[in-house]
Amino acid sequence: MNLRSPAFAILFSVSLIAAAGNMALQSVLPAIGREFRLSDTLVAGAFAISALMWTVASPFWARLSDRLGRKKVILIGLGGFVVSMSGFGLAATSGLERWLGVGVAFVLMTLARTIYGVFGSAAPIASQAYVADRTSPEQRTQAMSLLASAQGLGTVIGPALAPFFVLPLIGLAGPMYAFALFGAVVLFVTWRRLPSGEVVRKPSPSGRQDHAGKGLWKDPRVRDYLLYGLLVTGAQAVNISVLGFHVIDELAATGMAARDAQPFIGIAMLAGAAATLMAQWGLIPLLRLEPRDLMRWGAALALAGNLMSIASPGYYGVVVGYAVVSMGVGFARPGFTAGSSLSVGAHEQGAVAGLMMSLAGLSFLGPPVIGVALYELSEPAPFVANALLLAAATALCFVSANLRRGPPDLPDRDETPSPETPPASQPGPEGNR
């Protein structure tokens, strides 16, 4: 796959809009929780259901994308995103305007996020597998890094745009309506313009076929990549979930209300996203680091960012510490994603993509709730816990033989990218399939 092709641009947009919408929601969620007068832990805990659904559904979407084709599963995921964001916005508006009781509105908001948990993993799983199907091993790290950078760019756009959509009539729910509309546009473009995502079958030398990746999480080739990814993304989930409350509380000391703190939360998230993009768009292509090097630098930088958050309280300390953490994750995510992809054969790419998406669900299942609960007990506590997780991830890079030497050269790896699917002669009623 040509990384400048329209197909890659569409896949990039799919990841971008999902990340932007979710980070926009994440940036206004603490203020909504405070407006509802709910405890911080309850707000974080209610959304663990969404993460649980994401984790459970990810392997299903991975297998379905092998059978049904990548494009159709991407469309399903985008549809789930649009429905979820619209439903969340309506529920939030109903509660903020007191059309419904706060408890009922919050239950409906949780239901809307559960819809995203079920369907949300479909699009990124199928997008990653689509790219893996059509890139050579030499292209894979760069392609995965660019695809991951879409999430980084989304974390810039989401929090940066969110304050502009907090409008008088729709209030804090405005960003959800806006990103539901943007998601619908991306859904239409994907349906009409993305070439077919049909999977090209490549049997492995051992004779394993489509679902040989079942149980891949126990496979020693990828097990340590998964463990590393779980440690790093779990720590990141804590940082993201605590950030809004942390900023509100630091600014509350100056007399600022929670609603007025929203732009400052956006600035903090913007700093983190900019650091991620600097890593993925600037440093990774410049330094041409291998997956093992990306993982080492990533965990070490994220560790340093959490230590900075402990040592430097105050709003600016929060911003700088979060930016350093985000830069570390910007290195780490392409490292363990590309490393795991390169460690398995072409016939297992859908399965390994599903495992990588399961990590996103697992990382937001327990860690945010635990992190916010620790934060309510003591401000430095979640950052101390994160430092321990990231120290373990850094050590794993040197202790694990697989992570230390990097992905091997596999005989059943796809040495030549699949040819680009020729354009359809004319789109039918369903567009270019």
Side-chain angles (χ1 to χ4, degrees):
M1 170 181 282
N2 184 345
L3 300 186
R4 297 182 180 180
S5 66
F8 189 83
I10 291 172
L11 297 174
F12 187 93
S13 299
V14 169
S15 296
L16 172 67
I17 196 63
N22 278 294
M23 290 304 291
L25 187 153
Q26 191 71 40
S27 72
V28 299
L29 183 59
I32 292 174
R34 295 288 173 90
E35 291 282 335
F36 281 8
R37 301 185 186 280
L38 299 172
S39 75
D40 298 347
T41 304
L42 178 62
V43 172
F47 289 86
I49 298 174
S50 173
L52 176 61
M53 293 298 100
W54 179 292
T55 304
V56 171
S58 291
F60 168 78
W61 295 121
R63 293 192 295 270
L64 190 65
S65 76
D66 285 340
R67 298 198 308 268
L68 197 60
R70 313 302 190 197
K71 178 178 176 177
K72 292 177 182 176
V73 174
I74 291 171
L75 294 175
I76 291 170
L78 285 170
F81 171 82
V82 172
V83 171
S84 172
M85 294 296 285
S86 302
F88 191 99
L90 289 170
T93 298
S94 299
L96 291 168
E97 298 296 328
R98 300 298 186 262
W99 299 338
L100 295 174
V102 167
V104 175
F106 190 67
V107 169
L108 292 175
M109 289 161 59
T110 304
L111 179 61
R113 286 302 293 172
T114 302
I115 292 172
Y116 182 72
V118 173
F119 294 97
S121 62
I125 283 173
S127 296
Q128 180 180 321
Y130 192 112
V131 171
D133 287 341
R134 290 160 173 77
T135 53
S136 67
E138 291 75 18
Q139 289 179 304
R140 193 78 48 80
T141 299
Q142 182 184 7
M144 294 298 184
S145 178
L146 283 174
L147 197 61
S149 74
Q151 298 178 12
L153 183 58
T155 58
V156 172
I157 292 175
L161 291 182
F164 293 101
F165 296 116
V166 180
L167 301 172
L169 293 178
I170 51 179
L172 291 169
M176 275 68 82
Y177 297 129
F179 282 98
L181 178 60
F182 297 153
V185 172
V186 174
L187 173 62
F188 178 77
V189 172
T190 303
W191 169 56
R192 296 291 297 177
R193 299 296 181 186
L194 184 67
S196 170
E198 300 303 321
V199 182
V200 180
R201 306 294 179 186
K202 300 182 184 70
S204 72
S206 62
R208 294 177 296 176
Q209 299 297 326
D210 299 336
H211 305 306
K214 203 169 183 178
L216 193 61
W217 62 274
K218 297 181 289 187
D219 195 309
R221 295 173 298 169
V222 299
R223 185 176 53 211
D224 291 343
Y225 288 103
L226 289 170
L227 177 57
Y228 172 92
L230 185 60
L231 292 170
V232 171
T233 57
Q236 183 197 24
V238 171
N239 287 119
I240 291 173
S241 299
V242 168
L243 179 64
F245 300 115
H246 200 180
V247 170
I248 289 172
D249 291 337
E250 292 295 340
L251 295 176
T254 67
M256 185 178 292
R259 182 183 289 263
D260 297 331
Q262 183 57 44
F264 294 90
I265 296 173
I267 290 170
M269 289 187 165
L270 185 63
T276 300
L277 291 179
M278 184 171 71
Q280 293 179 338
W281 286 7
L283 297 176
I284 292 177
L286 177 66
L287 300 176
R288 298 182 180 275
L289 299 176
E290 295 294 322
R292 62 181 180 182
D293 300 314
L294 292 173
M295 294 168 66
R296 292 172 184 175
W297 280 104
L301 281 170
L303 170 59
N306 278 280
L307 294 176
M308 291 172 67
S309 296
I310 296 169
S312 303
Y315 176 69
Y316 293 105
V318 172
V319 173
V320 174
Y322 183 71
V324 175
V325 169
S326 299
M327 178 178 284
V329 176
F331 279 114
R333 188 178 294 277
F336 72 78
T337 302
S340 60
S341 175
L342 290 166
S343 295
V344 301
H347 65 295
E348 296 166 301
Q349 291 301 323
V352 81
L355 286 175
M356 292 300 107
M357 288 305 112
S358 292
L359 286 181
L362 285 171
S363 65
F364 276 89
L365 183 56
V369 180
I370 296 169
V372 174
L374 288 173
Y375 177 75
E376 289 190 302
L377 292 174
S378 172
E379 182 178 303
F383 307 110
V384 173
N386 270 2
L388 296 175
L389 290 177
L390 293 163
T394 305
L396 185 64
C397 292
F398 298 94
V399 171
S400 166
N402 283 347
L403 303 191
R404 191 169 60 245
R405 66 172 176 258
D409 291 327
L410 295 178
D412 63 339
R413 194 186 291 168
D414 183 17
E415 295 297 340
T416 306
S418 301
E420 292 288 338
T421 304
S425 55
Q426 292 292 334
E430 300 180 359
N432 292 330
R433 295 188 305 160

